[in-house]
PDB file of all heavy atoms in Angstrom:
ATOM      1  N   ASP A 100     -52.788 -32.599  -7.003  1.00  0.00           N
ATOM      2  CA  ASP A 100     -52.449 -34.028  -7.067  1.00  0.00           C
ATOM      3  C   ASP A 100     -51.280 -34.433  -6.313  1.00  0.00           C
ATOM      4  O   ASP A 100     -50.940 -35.634  -6.156  1.00  0.00           O
ATOM      5  CB  ASP A 100     -52.201 -34.402  -8.589  1.00  0.00           C
ATOM      6  CG  ASP A 100     -53.519 -34.231  -9.435  1.00  0.00           C
ATOM      7  OD1 ASP A 100     -54.608 -34.425  -8.795  1.00  0.00           O
ATOM      8  OD2 ASP A 100     -53.397 -34.176 -10.673  1.00  0.00           O
ATOM      9  N   THR A 101     -50.527 -33.464  -5.761  1.00  0.00           N
ATOM     10  CA  THR A 101     -49.353 -33.832  -4.901  1.00  0.00           C
ATOM     11  C   THR A 101     -49.645 -34.046  -3.454  1.00  0.00           C
ATOM     12  O   THR A 101     -48.808 -34.352  -2.656  1.00  0.00           O
ATOM     13  CB  THR A 101     -48.299 -32.634  -4.952  1.00  0.00           C
ATOM     14  OG1 THR A 101     -48.884 -31.469  -4.393  1.00  0.00           O
ATOM     15  CG2 THR A 101     -47.887 -32.373  -6.396  1.00  0.00           C
ATOM     16  N   THR A 102     -50.970 -33.944  -3.060  1.00  0.00           N
ATOM     17  CA  THR A 102     -51.351 -34.042  -1.676  1.00  0.00           C
ATOM     18  C   THR A 102     -50.973 -35.444  -1.119  1.00  0.00           C
ATOM     19  O   THR A 102     -51.179 -36.522  -1.769  1.00  0.00           O
ATOM     20  CB  THR A 102     -52.860 -33.911  -1.533  1.00  0.00           C
ATOM     21  OG1 THR A 102     -53.193 -32.639  -2.003  1.00  0.00           O
ATOM     22  CG2 THR A 102     -53.321 -34.096  -0.086  1.00  0.00           C
ATOM     23  N   LEU A 103     -50.270 -35.408   0.029  1.00  0.00           N
ATOM     24  CA  LEU A 103     -49.844 -36.680   0.692  1.00  0.00           C
ATOM     25  C   LEU A 103     -50.155 -36.559   2.123  1.00  0.00           C
ATOM     26  O   LEU A 103     -50.557 -35.468   2.658  1.00  0.00           O
ATOM     27  CB  LEU A 103     -48.390 -36.951   0.425  1.00  0.00           C
ATOM     28  CG  LEU A 103     -47.442 -35.940   0.828  1.00  0.00           C
ATOM     29  CD1 LEU A 103     -46.869 -36.152   2.291  1.00  0.00           C
ATOM     30  CD2 LEU A 103     -46.202 -35.919  -0.114  1.00  0.00           C
ATOM     31  N   TYR A 104     -50.057 -37.755   2.837  1.00  0.00           N
ATOM     32  CA  TYR A 104     -50.520 -37.704   4.248  1.00  0.00           C
ATOM     33  C   TYR A 104     -49.509 -38.524   5.090  1.00  0.00           C
ATOM     34  O   TYR A 104     -48.949 -39.640   4.704  1.00  0.00           O
ATOM     35  CB  TYR A 104     -51.841 -38.532   4.383  1.00  0.00           C
ATOM     36  CG  TYR A 104     -52.833 -38.086   3.387  1.00  0.00           C
ATOM     37  CD1 TYR A 104     -52.999 -38.843   2.152  1.00  0.00           C
ATOM     38  CD2 TYR A 104     -53.672 -37.029   3.527  1.00  0.00           C
ATOM     39  CE1 TYR A 104     -53.906 -38.497   1.114  1.00  0.00           C
ATOM     40  CE2 TYR A 104     -54.593 -36.690   2.529  1.00  0.00           C
ATOM     41  CZ  TYR A 104     -54.686 -37.345   1.383  1.00  0.00           C
ATOM     42  OH  TYR A 104     -55.620 -37.000   0.384  1.00  0.00           O
ATOM     43  N   ALA A 147     -55.948 -51.493   1.255  1.00  0.00           N
ATOM     44  CA  ALA A 147     -55.720 -51.090  -0.185  1.00  0.00           C
ATOM     45  C   ALA A 147     -56.723 -50.106  -0.678  1.00  0.00           C
ATOM     46  O   ALA A 147     -56.411 -49.306  -1.568  1.00  0.00           O
ATOM     47  CB  ALA A 147     -55.748 -52.391  -1.015  1.00  0.00           C
ATOM     48  N   SER A 149     -58.099 -47.665   1.021  1.00  0.00           N
ATOM     49  CA  SER A 149     -58.128 -46.506   1.778  1.00  0.00           C
ATOM     50  C   SER A 149     -58.065 -45.266   0.968  1.00  0.00           C
ATOM     51  O   SER A 149     -57.186 -45.213   0.022  1.00  0.00           O
ATOM     52  CB  SER A 149     -56.956 -46.528   2.821  1.00  0.00           C
ATOM     53  OG  SER A 149     -56.834 -45.243   3.351  1.00  0.00           O
ATOM     54  N   PRO A 150     -58.878 -44.311   1.214  1.00  0.00           N
ATOM     55  CA  PRO A 150     -58.826 -43.087   0.395  1.00  0.00           C
ATOM     56  C   PRO A 150     -57.571 -42.300   0.652  1.00  0.00           C
ATOM     57  O   PRO A 150     -57.118 -41.487  -0.187  1.00  0.00           O
ATOM     58  CB  PRO A 150     -60.094 -42.283   0.862  1.00  0.00           C
ATOM     59  CG  PRO A 150     -60.365 -42.869   2.231  1.00  0.00           C
ATOM     60  CD  PRO A 150     -60.006 -44.321   2.160  1.00  0.00           C
ATOM     61  N   TYR A 151     -56.866 -42.599   1.780  1.00  0.00           N
ATOM     62  CA  TYR A 151     -55.635 -41.915   2.034  1.00  0.00           C
ATOM     63  C   TYR A 151     -54.491 -42.487   1.078  1.00  0.00           C
ATOM     64  O   TYR A 151     -53.617 -41.697   0.530  1.00  0.00           O
ATOM     65  CB  TYR A 151     -55.164 -42.052   3.513  1.00  0.00           C
ATOM     66  CG  TYR A 151     -55.981 -41.128   4.406  1.00  0.00           C
ATOM     67  CD1 TYR A 151     -56.899 -41.692   5.250  1.00  0.00           C
ATOM     68  CD2 TYR A 151     -55.826 -39.792   4.453  1.00  0.00           C
ATOM     69  CE1 TYR A 151     -57.652 -40.920   6.037  1.00  0.00           C
ATOM     70  CE2 TYR A 151     -56.505 -39.002   5.268  1.00  0.00           C
ATOM     71  CZ  TYR A 151     -57.451 -39.571   6.063  1.00  0.00           C
ATOM     72  OH  TYR A 151     -58.193 -38.748   6.906  1.00  0.00           O
ATOM     73  N   LEU A 152     -54.461 -43.791   0.896  1.00  0.00           N
ATOM     74  CA  LEU A 152     -53.557 -44.362   0.012  1.00  0.00           C
ATOM     75  C   LEU A 152     -53.681 -43.835  -1.433  1.00  0.00           C
ATOM     76  O   LEU A 152     -52.655 -43.610  -2.138  1.00  0.00           O
ATOM     77  CB  LEU A 152     -53.679 -45.853  -0.069  1.00  0.00           C
ATOM     78  CG  LEU A 152     -53.261 -46.638   1.214  1.00  0.00           C
ATOM     79  CD1 LEU A 152     -53.601 -48.159   1.054  1.00  0.00           C
ATOM     80  CD2 LEU A 152     -51.831 -46.471   1.498  1.00  0.00           C
ATOM     81  N   GLN A 153     -54.828 -43.451  -1.822  1.00  0.00           N
ATOM     82  CA  GLN A 153     -55.103 -42.945  -3.192  1.00  0.00           C
ATOM     83  C   GLN A 153     -55.090 -41.480  -3.310  1.00  0.00           C
ATOM     84  O   GLN A 153     -55.315 -40.918  -4.373  1.00  0.00           O
ATOM     85  CB  GLN A 153     -56.476 -43.537  -3.669  1.00  0.00           C
ATOM     86  CG  GLN A 153     -56.496 -45.078  -3.594  1.00  0.00           C
ATOM     87  CD  GLN A 153     -57.912 -45.666  -3.894  1.00  0.00           C
ATOM     88  OE1 GLN A 153     -58.733 -44.962  -4.512  1.00  0.00           O
ATOM     89  NE2 GLN A 153     -58.176 -46.835  -3.507  1.00  0.00           N
ATOM     90  N   GLY A 154     -54.905 -40.786  -2.111  1.00  0.00           N
ATOM     91  CA  GLY A 154     -54.792 -39.326  -2.153  1.00  0.00           C
ATOM     92  C   GLY A 154     -56.060 -38.614  -2.468  1.00  0.00           C
ATOM     93  O   GLY A 154     -56.042 -37.589  -3.148  1.00  0.00           O
ATOM     94  N   ARG A 155     -57.200 -39.137  -2.049  1.00  0.00           N
ATOM     95  CA  ARG A 155     -58.474 -38.515  -2.450  1.00  0.00           C
ATOM     96  C   ARG A 155     -58.989 -37.562  -1.409  1.00  0.00           C
ATOM     97  O   ARG A 155     -59.897 -36.758  -1.766  1.00  0.00           O
ATOM     98  CB  ARG A 155     -59.522 -39.666  -2.677  1.00  0.00           C
ATOM     99  CG  ARG A 155     -59.147 -40.564  -3.848  1.00  0.00           C
ATOM    100  CD  ARG A 155     -60.480 -41.298  -4.290  1.00  0.00           C
ATOM    101  NE  ARG A 155     -61.176 -41.914  -3.234  1.00  0.00           N
ATOM    102  CZ  ARG A 155     -61.099 -43.260  -2.973  1.00  0.00           C
ATOM    103  NH1 ARG A 155     -60.292 -43.986  -3.581  1.00  0.00           N
ATOM    104  NH2 ARG A 155     -61.835 -43.722  -2.005  1.00  0.00           N
ATOM    105  N   ALA A 184     -40.526 -51.143   3.626  1.00  0.00           N
ATOM    106  CA  ALA A 184     -40.502 -50.123   2.522  1.00  0.00           C
ATOM    107  C   ALA A 184     -41.880 -49.862   2.010  1.00  0.00           C
ATOM    108  O   ALA A 184     -42.684 -50.774   1.832  1.00  0.00           O
ATOM    109  CB  ALA A 184     -39.594 -50.561   1.485  1.00  0.00           C
ATOM    110  N   GLN A 185     -42.231 -48.583   1.761  1.00  0.00           N
ATOM    111  CA  GLN A 185     -43.553 -48.147   1.450  1.00  0.00           C
ATOM    112  C   GLN A 185     -43.749 -48.300  -0.085  1.00  0.00           C
ATOM    113  O   GLN A 185     -42.747 -48.273  -0.933  1.00  0.00           O
ATOM    114  CB  GLN A 185     -43.836 -46.749   1.884  1.00  0.00           C
ATOM    115  CG  GLN A 185     -43.785 -46.546   3.376  1.00  0.00           C
ATOM    116  CD  GLN A 185     -43.959 -45.098   3.748  1.00  0.00           C
ATOM    117  OE1 GLN A 185     -43.279 -44.258   3.258  1.00  0.00           O
ATOM    118  NE2 GLN A 185     -44.844 -44.820   4.685  1.00  0.00           N
ATOM    119  N   ASN A 186     -44.991 -48.451  -0.505  1.00  0.00           N
ATOM    120  CA  ASN A 186     -45.361 -48.393  -1.951  1.00  0.00           C
ATOM    121  C   ASN A 186     -45.066 -47.021  -2.411  1.00  0.00           C
ATOM    122  O   ASN A 186     -45.633 -46.050  -2.024  1.00  0.00           O
ATOM    123  CB  ASN A 186     -46.808 -48.744  -2.071  1.00  0.00           C
ATOM    124  CG  ASN A 186     -47.283 -48.759  -3.461  1.00  0.00           C
ATOM    125  OD1 ASN A 186     -46.549 -48.440  -4.443  1.00  0.00           O
ATOM    126  ND2 ASN A 186     -48.502 -49.206  -3.684  1.00  0.00           N
ATOM    127  N   PRO A 187     -44.213 -46.885  -3.492  1.00  0.00           N
ATOM    128  CA  PRO A 187     -43.878 -45.559  -4.024  1.00  0.00           C
ATOM    129  C   PRO A 187     -45.084 -44.844  -4.617  1.00  0.00           C
ATOM    130  O   PRO A 187     -45.082 -43.587  -4.750  1.00  0.00           O
ATOM    131  CB  PRO A 187     -42.747 -45.808  -5.041  1.00  0.00           C
ATOM    132  CG  PRO A 187     -43.043 -47.242  -5.376  1.00  0.00           C
ATOM    133  CD  PRO A 187     -43.476 -47.952  -4.288  1.00  0.00           C
ATOM    134  N   ASP A 188     -46.105 -45.583  -4.936  1.00  0.00           N
ATOM    135  CA  ASP A 188     -47.336 -44.874  -5.501  1.00  0.00           C
ATOM    136  C   ASP A 188     -48.375 -44.513  -4.521  1.00  0.00           C
ATOM    137  O   ASP A 188     -49.393 -43.922  -4.834  1.00  0.00           O
ATOM    138  CB  ASP A 188     -47.956 -45.860  -6.514  1.00  0.00           C
ATOM    139  CG  ASP A 188     -47.008 -46.247  -7.734  1.00  0.00           C
ATOM    140  OD1 ASP A 188     -46.268 -45.370  -8.123  1.00  0.00           O
ATOM    141  OD2 ASP A 188     -47.102 -47.371  -8.183  1.00  0.00           O
ATOM    142  N   SER A 189     -48.084 -44.832  -3.227  1.00  0.00           N
ATOM    143  CA  SER A 189     -49.029 -44.525  -2.204  1.00  0.00           C
ATOM    144  C   SER A 189     -48.858 -43.095  -1.671  1.00  0.00           C
ATOM    145  O   SER A 189     -47.806 -42.581  -1.550  1.00  0.00           O
ATOM    146  CB  SER A 189     -48.777 -45.447  -0.982  1.00  0.00           C
ATOM    147  OG  SER A 189     -49.634 -45.049   0.139  1.00  0.00           O
ATOM    148  N   ALA A 190     -50.036 -42.417  -1.404  1.00  0.00           N
ATOM    149  CA  ALA A 190     -50.025 -41.106  -0.862  1.00  0.00           C
ATOM    150  C   ALA A 190     -49.917 -41.132   0.643  1.00  0.00           C
ATOM    151  O   ALA A 190     -49.873 -40.013   1.270  1.00  0.00           O
ATOM    152  CB  ALA A 190     -51.241 -40.271  -1.306  1.00  0.00           C
ATOM    153  N   LEU A 191     -49.973 -42.218   1.292  1.00  0.00           N
ATOM    154  CA  LEU A 191     -49.931 -42.322   2.729  1.00  0.00           C
ATOM    155  C   LEU A 191     -48.490 -42.704   3.128  1.00  0.00           C
ATOM    156  O   LEU A 191     -47.994 -43.793   2.819  1.00  0.00           O
ATOM    157  CB  LEU A 191     -50.886 -43.428   3.241  1.00  0.00           C
ATOM    158  CG  LEU A 191     -51.116 -43.589   4.751  1.00  0.00           C
ATOM    159  CD1 LEU A 191     -51.753 -42.317   5.269  1.00  0.00           C
ATOM    160  CD2 LEU A 191     -51.929 -44.752   5.117  1.00  0.00           C
ATOM    161  N   TRP A 192     -47.808 -41.812   3.755  1.00  0.00           N
ATOM    162  CA  TRP A 192     -46.390 -41.956   4.057  1.00  0.00           C
ATOM    163  C   TRP A 192     -46.158 -42.154   5.581  1.00  0.00           C
ATOM    164  O   TRP A 192     -47.046 -41.697   6.359  1.00  0.00           O
ATOM    165  CB  TRP A 192     -45.647 -40.713   3.600  1.00  0.00           C
ATOM    166  CG  TRP A 192     -45.573 -40.511   2.094  1.00  0.00           C
ATOM    167  CD1 TRP A 192     -46.413 -41.022   1.214  1.00  0.00           C
ATOM    168  CD2 TRP A 192     -44.566 -39.766   1.437  1.00  0.00           C
ATOM    169  NE1 TRP A 192     -46.107 -40.667  -0.099  1.00  0.00           N
ATOM    170  CE2 TRP A 192     -44.997 -39.850   0.035  1.00  0.00           C
ATOM    171  CE3 TRP A 192     -43.518 -39.017   1.716  1.00  0.00           C
ATOM    172  CZ2 TRP A 192     -44.285 -39.177  -1.011  1.00  0.00           C
ATOM    173  CZ3 TRP A 192     -42.810 -38.312   0.761  1.00  0.00           C
ATOM    174  CH2 TRP A 192     -43.164 -38.425  -0.583  1.00  0.00           C
ATOM    175  N   ARG A 199     -37.507 -38.395  -1.940  1.00  0.00           N
ATOM    176  CA  ARG A 199     -38.861 -38.968  -2.302  1.00  0.00           C
ATOM    177  C   ARG A 199     -39.809 -37.894  -2.692  1.00  0.00           C
ATOM    178  O   ARG A 199     -40.676 -38.043  -3.525  1.00  0.00           O
ATOM    179  CB  ARG A 199     -39.304 -39.848  -1.198  1.00  0.00           C
ATOM    180  CG  ARG A 199     -40.529 -40.663  -1.600  1.00  0.00           C
ATOM    181  CD  ARG A 199     -41.080 -41.531  -0.475  1.00  0.00           C
ATOM    182  NE  ARG A 199     -42.312 -42.254  -0.878  1.00  0.00           N
ATOM    183  CZ  ARG A 199     -43.143 -42.762   0.008  1.00  0.00           C
ATOM    184  NH1 ARG A 199     -42.920 -42.653   1.298  1.00  0.00           N
ATOM    185  NH2 ARG A 199     -44.198 -43.355  -0.471  1.00  0.00           N
ATOM    186  N   VAL A 202     -39.280 -36.820  -6.210  1.00  0.00           N
ATOM    187  CA  VAL A 202     -39.788 -37.880  -7.180  1.00  0.00           C
ATOM    188  C   VAL A 202     -41.332 -37.750  -7.190  1.00  0.00           C
ATOM    189  O   VAL A 202     -42.019 -37.813  -8.294  1.00  0.00           O
ATOM    190  CB  VAL A 202     -39.383 -39.266  -6.728  1.00  0.00           C
ATOM    191  CG1 VAL A 202     -40.102 -40.349  -7.562  1.00  0.00           C
ATOM    192  CG2 VAL A 202     -37.900 -39.382  -6.871  1.00  0.00           C
ATOM    193  N   TRP A 203     -41.964 -37.584  -6.044  1.00  0.00           N
ATOM    194  CA  TRP A 203     -43.440 -37.499  -5.979  1.00  0.00           C
ATOM    195  C   TRP A 203     -43.945 -36.237  -6.669  1.00  0.00           C
ATOM    196  O   TRP A 203     -44.954 -36.310  -7.406  1.00  0.00           O
ATOM    197  CB  TRP A 203     -43.870 -37.422  -4.477  1.00  0.00           C
ATOM    198  CG  TRP A 203     -45.280 -37.388  -4.227  1.00  0.00           C
ATOM    199  CD1 TRP A 203     -46.044 -36.239  -3.892  1.00  0.00           C
ATOM    200  CD2 TRP A 203     -46.250 -38.387  -4.253  1.00  0.00           C
ATOM    201  NE1 TRP A 203     -47.376 -36.507  -3.718  1.00  0.00           N
ATOM    202  CE2 TRP A 203     -47.546 -37.888  -3.939  1.00  0.00           C
ATOM    203  CE3 TRP A 203     -46.197 -39.786  -4.509  1.00  0.00           C
ATOM    204  CZ2 TRP A 203     -48.679 -38.607  -3.855  1.00  0.00           C
ATOM    205  CZ3 TRP A 203     -47.318 -40.535  -4.362  1.00  0.00           C
ATOM    206  CH2 TRP A 203     -48.521 -40.033  -4.086  1.00  0.00           C
ATOM    207  N   LEU A 204     -43.219 -35.159  -6.599  1.00  0.00           N
ATOM    208  CA  LEU A 204     -43.579 -33.927  -7.273  1.00  0.00           C
ATOM    209  C   LEU A 204     -43.493 -34.118  -8.844  1.00  0.00           C
ATOM    210  O   LEU A 204     -44.449 -33.740  -9.564  1.00  0.00           O
ATOM    211  CB  LEU A 204     -42.641 -32.790  -6.882  1.00  0.00           C
ATOM    212  CG  LEU A 204     -42.946 -31.463  -7.560  1.00  0.00           C
ATOM    213  CD1 LEU A 204     -44.305 -30.897  -7.091  1.00  0.00           C
ATOM    214  CD2 LEU A 204     -41.859 -30.450  -7.191  1.00  0.00           C
ATOM    215  N   ARG A 205     -42.455 -34.736  -9.306  1.00  0.00           N
ATOM    216  CA  ARG A 205     -42.339 -34.960 -10.757  1.00  0.00           C
ATOM    217  C   ARG A 205     -43.440 -35.932 -11.246  1.00  0.00           C
ATOM    218  O   ARG A 205     -44.000 -35.804 -12.334  1.00  0.00           O
ATOM    219  CB  ARG A 205     -40.931 -35.494 -11.060  1.00  0.00           C
ATOM    220  CG  ARG A 205     -39.843 -34.542 -10.883  1.00  0.00           C
ATOM    221  CD  ARG A 205     -38.561 -35.021 -11.531  1.00  0.00           C
ATOM    222  NE  ARG A 205     -38.102 -36.291 -10.979  1.00  0.00           N
ATOM    223  CZ  ARG A 205     -37.264 -36.487 -10.056  1.00  0.00           C
ATOM    224  NH1 ARG A 205     -36.765 -35.427  -9.426  1.00  0.00           N
ATOM    225  NH2 ARG A 205     -36.891 -37.705  -9.625  1.00  0.00           N
ATOM    226  N   THR A 206     -43.720 -36.898 -10.455  1.00  0.00           N
ATOM    227  CA  THR A 206     -44.731 -37.975 -10.823  1.00  0.00           C
ATOM    228  C   THR A 206     -46.139 -37.384 -10.835  1.00  0.00           C
ATOM    229  O   THR A 206     -46.863 -37.667 -11.798  1.00  0.00           O
ATOM    230  CB  THR A 206     -44.616 -39.174  -9.862  1.00  0.00           C
ATOM    231  OG1 THR A 206     -43.343 -39.692  -9.891  1.00  0.00           O
ATOM    232  CG2 THR A 206     -45.670 -40.194 -10.333  1.00  0.00           C
ATOM    233  N   GLN A 207     -46.532 -36.618  -9.821  1.00  0.00           N
ATOM    234  CA  GLN A 207     -47.879 -36.192  -9.624  1.00  0.00           C
ATOM    235  C   GLN A 207     -48.156 -34.890 -10.397  1.00  0.00           C
ATOM    236  O   GLN A 207     -49.325 -34.689 -10.694  1.00  0.00           O
ATOM    237  CB  GLN A 207     -48.149 -36.025  -8.167  1.00  0.00           C
ATOM    238  CG  GLN A 207     -47.961 -37.297  -7.347  1.00  0.00           C
ATOM    239  CD  GLN A 207     -48.873 -38.420  -7.809  1.00  0.00           C
ATOM    240  OE1 GLN A 207     -48.353 -39.521  -8.183  1.00  0.00           O
ATOM    241  NE2 GLN A 207     -50.187 -38.256  -7.806  1.00  0.00           N
TER     242      GLN A 207
END
Side-chain angles (χ1 to χ4, degrees):
D100 290 339
T101 64
T102 300
L103 59 90
Y104 317 93
S149 168
Y151 286 106
L152 290 176
Q153 302 170 23
R155 296 202 307 263
Q185 296 175 313
N186 181 352
D188 298 326
S189 171
L191 188 64
W192 295 21
R199 190 180 176 201
V202 173
W203 182 258
L204 179 66
R205 290 195 302 268
T206 302
Q207 301 299 120

